[in-house]
Amino acid sequence: MARLLVIVGITTSDKTPALNAKKTKIENQATKVAKARIKNGQVTVTAVGKEGGLVYLWVIDTGKKETSACCPIDVKLAPTKLEA
């Protein structure tokens, strides 16, 4: 039985990203804007707070067919300090 592995990642382009040699990580991530993770089939996207902008969330099945899909996400920055 083939092992299916679904991975997620964030890029700045809507072109299919490259995977590392083990097909366990999406390379060329937009690490200053957001990060993504998958746990028990649930995808979580978190803004890192360094930059905002348009990024693409990728979900890739690394099985034989290597099916992939992306979704654009516009990340907005929130203030980190408020003056009263």
Side-chain angles (χ1 to χ4, degrees):
M1 177 181 255
R3 182 174 177 234
L4 296 176
L5 178 64
V6 176
I7 60 174
V8 296
I10 302 289
T11 66
T12 55
S13 170
D14 63 349
K15 296 187 179 171
T16 305
L19 301 178
N20 67 1
K22 295 180 183 178
K23 295 186 178 182
T24 57
K25 186 175 180 184
I26 295 175
E27 294 182 346
N28 199 15
Q29 295 182 350
T31 56
K32 292 184 179 181
V33 181
K35 61 182 180 178
R37 68 182 186 106
I38 186 168
K39 185 175 180 180
N40 298 327
Q42 182 174 350
V43 177
T44 304
V45 177
T46 307
V48 258
K50 296 178 183 177
E51 293 180 15
L54 183 65
V55 294
Y56 295 88
L57 167 65
W58 283 91
V59 179
I60 299 177
D61 178 355
T62 61
K64 288 183 181 179
K65 294 183 181 179
E66 291 191 17
T67 307
S68 64
C70 77
C71 175
I73 299 175
D74 191 10
V75 178
K76 305 284 185 184
L77 294 180
T80 57
K81 182 178 176 183
L82 297 175
E83 291 186 28

